[in-house]
Amino acid sequence: MTTWIAIGVTAAGCYLVKLLGLSVPAGVLERPLVRRLAALLPVALLAALTAQQTFSDGRHLLLDARAAGLGAAALALVLRAPFLVVVAVAVAVTAGVRAL
Amino acid sequence: MRAVSEQIEIPTDPAAPPADSAVVRDALGVGVAVGLSGFAFGVTSAGAGLGLLQTCALSLLVFTGASQFALVGALAAGGNPFTAAAGAFFLGVRNAFYGLRLSGLLGLPRAVRPLAAQWVIDETSAVALAQPDRRTARLGFTVTGLTLYALWNLTTLIGALGASALGDTDAWGLDAAGPAVFLALLAPMLSGTVERAVAGLGVLLVLLCQPVLPAGVPVLVAALAAPVVLTVHGRMARDAEPGERR
């Protein structure tokens, strides 16, 4: 039930912001500060989520095979690999390190 | 799902609109490449303990990849539904700004907007905004949206079904798919000093908070990195003498 509540709230919220963008007159959300914050918020969240899902397990911080996978993904990004390759490299390296 | 504008060839002669076939080819390329990564989401979501119906509902109804990965990650970590949804929602807010740009470009009739809204994401915006006129923008938006929506949902289903066949998904390294997706989305955004400072502070905050705060809350605390860095940056710019600025 908890999961369905989370899905419902997320679906409604995400749909409404999409519709809001298409519907409001240009200018309402175009204030420079609002635009700047809207661009930076995903940066903060994505960085935090990357770190959290790589270096933690519940409440514990830990360094395991996922860190190697993420390092490989970062290298793939530097080499301008396509999206799918980046994800595949992370998965393969993580699995490889665990299998050692 | 990441902004893929760098993959799209912008015609060198702006006076000549690209041929429809070129627009369709770009749109299909983006739609297929990103649509296939629904598989990683399906597996991740099932591995996080969500049911088949729940996993598919997320791809059908939320349809914005980073938000979906964030939500299942937070739920797997034991977050309550509202803190988990809040993180996912904040990631979805950027779509409102794509919509602002697209509404003028696409000029959609009022009746079509509620339908088109669901397709307003990084990829469809990148393809549509790269087009020089309304007709090709509409074509690019529609083809990318249709391909990506169909494939993303199909591969989500396959991934969720396949997760049980894989057994221990961690052994296959699939718990690294989520963070790799986030990193791939983040990388093109780290162009400036302010962006890098926000990312660095975000990482620091989440790792400091993780051991002491309830699940789901650390990511929300890390979101504060954006206003904090923006405030500090603004103050530093104001304090600098006009002559000292570059």
Side-chain angles (χ1 to χ4, degrees), chain A residues 15 18 21 35 52 58 94 98, chain B residues 62-63 114 118 170 175 210:
Chain A
Y15 177 73
K18 289 175 183 175
R35 287 189 53 79
Q52 183 190 49
T94 304
R98 284 213 178 105
Chain B
V62 177
F63 189 56
Q118 184 68 332
D170 285 5
D175 51 340
Q210 190 71 17

Side-chain angles (χ1 to χ4, degrees), chain B residues 4-5 18 33 51 76 142 146 179 191 246:
Chain B
V4 282
S5 48
T142 308
L146 187 66
S191 50
R246 290 202 307 124

Side-chain angles (χ1 to χ4, degrees), chain A residues 3-16, chain B residues 62 71 81-82 84-86 88-89:
Chain A
T3 306
W4 279 116
I5 294 171
I7 292 171
V9 173
T10 305
C14 286
Y15 177 73
L16 286 177
Chain B
V62 177
L71 186 73
F82 296 105
F89 172 76

Side-chain angles (χ1 to χ4, degrees), chain A residues 40-56 61 70, chain B residues 182-183 186 190 195-211 218-226 229:
Chain A
L40 288 176
L41 210 52
V43 174
L45 285 166
L46 290 171
L49 286 163
T50 307
Q52 183 190 49
Q53 295 190 15
T54 306
F55 301 111
S56 78
L61 297 184
L70 197 76
Chain B
F182 292 134
L183 189 69
L186 176 65
L190 295 178
E195 284 78 5
R196 290 191 201 129
V198 168
L201 186 59
V203 168
L204 192 65
L205 286 174
V206 81
L207 293 181
L208 286 174
C209 293
Q210 190 71 17
V219 170
L220 299 184
V221 173
L224 292 175
V229 170

Side-chain angles (χ1 to χ4, degrees), chain B residues 148-172:
Chain B
L148 224 169
Y149 194 74
L151 272 179
W152 178 260
N153 280 290
L154 182 68
T155 54
T156 294
L157 175 67
I158 295 170
L161 288 172
S164 54
L166 288 172
D168 179 12
T169 53
D170 285 5
W172 294 87

